[in-house]
Amino acid sequence: MKNIALSSIRLDGDTQVRTSLDQQIVAQYAEHMADGDHFPPVIVFHDGSEYWLADGFHRYFATKGNAQDEIEADIKTGTLQDAQLYAYGANSRRGLSMSDDDSRNIITKMLQNPVWGRWTNAEIARHVGVSKMTVGRVKSALPAQEGESTKKIYKNRFGKESVIETKHIGKKKEDPVIPKIEAPHDQEEDQLSELTETISTLSSENQLLKDKIAVGQWDASEIEKIDIQDVVVELRETIRVLEIDNKALRESRDMYQNRNAEMIRTISGLQAQLKKLSK
């Protein structure tokens, strides 16, 4: 840690990831500093000639507002790109949380970077401190880049990087086309089917409304509520698919049990016939 001159710190390296500074926070920090309160040092990266501010813009301007010439800094060795990457990931480290617009701004910058844009959604989300669904929504809102690589960089929990192919992720194999056999028309069956479908639809809509009401009552930001809602929808869809699979397994089990019982009866009959013939 050392004190460095404010005039030697560069602010024009695109390391300010917030859409705007909160001037009220700047004024509060300045007041506390004037009262003698100690703040954590700002983070700067030194590339050999320039000092790039990576974290602490509110503290920087509060210090400047108090007509101070120097500020305490934690100086790290690195390039401007190192400073940018640190700034994009400082969301989970700083005390003043990011707004939804700030998070979208960071994600957009990372997606549009030629290096970090090759990271997987999960890797970007982990670095920024958001969910991978948030990254996916921001990415889908961006115009598609021609010739964009489908190979993404993944980093495991040990920090080892590997490249994965994402072209087929999320795509379902097409089900084989099974010819439809027309059954005799039954008006009562149609009415029953329509009634069942209506009840199922109303039940799903009722559950969806309950989920939205529950999510809306949580003390969370709008982007967090969207994430929560997406998770709920995804989990309910997973449950629905599992219930279908479970039903198919039960039917398959019942079929095999029936066949097994039939085979036992057949074997018992053959054994009885064999017993008669052996007498």
Side-chain angles (χ1 to χ4, degrees):
M1 307 292 175
K2 62 178 290 188
N3 287 349
I4 62 175
L6 292 176
S7 58
S8 65
I9 299 177
R10 296 282 297 272
L11 309 180
D12 57 341
D14 198 27
T15 56
Q16 166 55 293
V17 295
R18 297 181 188 276
T19 55
S20 63
L21 288 180
D22 189 330
Q23 296 303 323
Q24 186 175 355
I25 294 295
V26 172
Q28 289 177 2
Y29 282 6
E31 184 178 348
H32 286 295
M33 288 176 180
D35 290 339
D37 291 346
H38 183 265
F39 281 72
V42 297
I43 307 294
V44 298
F45 278 73
H46 187 230
D47 62 6
S49 60
E50 305 290 350
Y51 291 93
W52 302 100
L53 183 60
D55 186 27
F57 280 82
H58 286 92
R59 282 165 279 164
Y60 174 93
F61 283 103
T63 303
K64 190 174 183 179
N66 283 344
Q68 299 295 315
D69 297 327
E70 295 183 339
I71 190 170
E72 185 181 17
D74 180 1
I75 303 173
K76 301 180 182 295
T77 301
T79 64
L80 171 57
Q81 193 173 49
D82 293 329
Q84 291 171 344
L85 186 60
Y86 184 92
Y88 298 162
N91 180 27
S92 58
R93 297 187 290 269
R94 58 166 58 92
L96 188 59
S97 61
M98 292 285 188
S99 68
D100 293 346
D101 287 340
D102 293 336
S103 296
R104 292 189 188 96
N105 183 47
I106 298 171
I107 295 168
T108 300
K109 288 179 181 294
M110 293 198 68
L111 289 171
Q112 292 177 340
N113 184 278
V115 177
W116 309 319
R118 294 184 60 218
W119 289 10
T120 62
N121 288 5
E123 192 63 30
I124 293 175
R126 191 178 300 112
H127 184 77
V128 178
V130 297
S131 76
K132 64 179 182 180
M133 288 177 291
T134 298
V135 177
R137 278 197 301 274
V138 175
K139 179 183 286 187
S140 63
L142 294 175
Q145 297 182 3
E146 192 172 341
E148 182 180 3
S149 174
T150 57
K151 292 183 179 180
K152 300 296 181 183
I153 297 174
Y154 167 75
K155 191 181 295 181
N156 65 19
R157 61 193 180 94
F158 301 108
K160 184 178 179 181
E161 288 188 353
S162 57
V163 178
I164 61 174
E165 175 60 68
T166 61
K167 181 167 57 177
H168 302 296
I169 292 179
K171 292 185 178 180
K172 296 181 179 179
K173 293 183 178 178
E174 293 186 0
D175 295 328
V177 178
I178 302 175
K180 207 170 185 181
I181 301 175
E182 295 292 338
H185 183 70
D186 189 332
Q187 187 174 359
E188 289 186 1
E189 185 69 26
D190 288 347
Q191 291 176 346
L192 179 60
S193 177
E194 183 179 351
L195 180 59
T196 302
E197 184 177 350
T198 301
I199 293 173
S200 177
T201 301
L202 290 174
S203 177
S204 298
E205 291 179 353
N206 183 47
Q207 187 60 60
L208 181 61
L209 288 173
K210 286 181 179 179
D211 291 341
K212 287 184 176 180
I213 290 171
V215 171
Q217 290 175 342
W218 286 15
D219 183 17
S221 67
E222 288 304 314
I223 201 166
E224 289 173 332
K225 288 181 180 180
I226 293 172
D227 285 346
I228 294 167
Q229 186 64 40
D230 285 348
V231 170
V232 170
V233 171
E234 184 178 336
L235 288 175
R236 291 203 182 281
E237 176 61 17
T238 301
I239 292 171
R240 186 186 70 82
V241 172
L242 289 174
E243 286 177 343
I244 293 173
D245 290 343
N246 190 38
K247 181 181 178 182
L249 287 172
R250 286 200 304 270
E251 291 174 351
S252 179
R253 178 205 61 191
D254 293 343
M255 180 186 69
Y256 282 116
Q257 285 180 341
N258 291 334
R259 286 184 179 179
N260 186 50
E262 186 178 344
M263 287 178 64
I264 291 174
R265 287 194 297 269
T266 301
I267 291 171
S268 297
L270 290 173
Q271 286 175 336
Q273 291 180 14
L274 183 61
K275 190 174 181 180
K276 287 181 180 179
L277 291 173
S278 62
K279 286 181 179 179

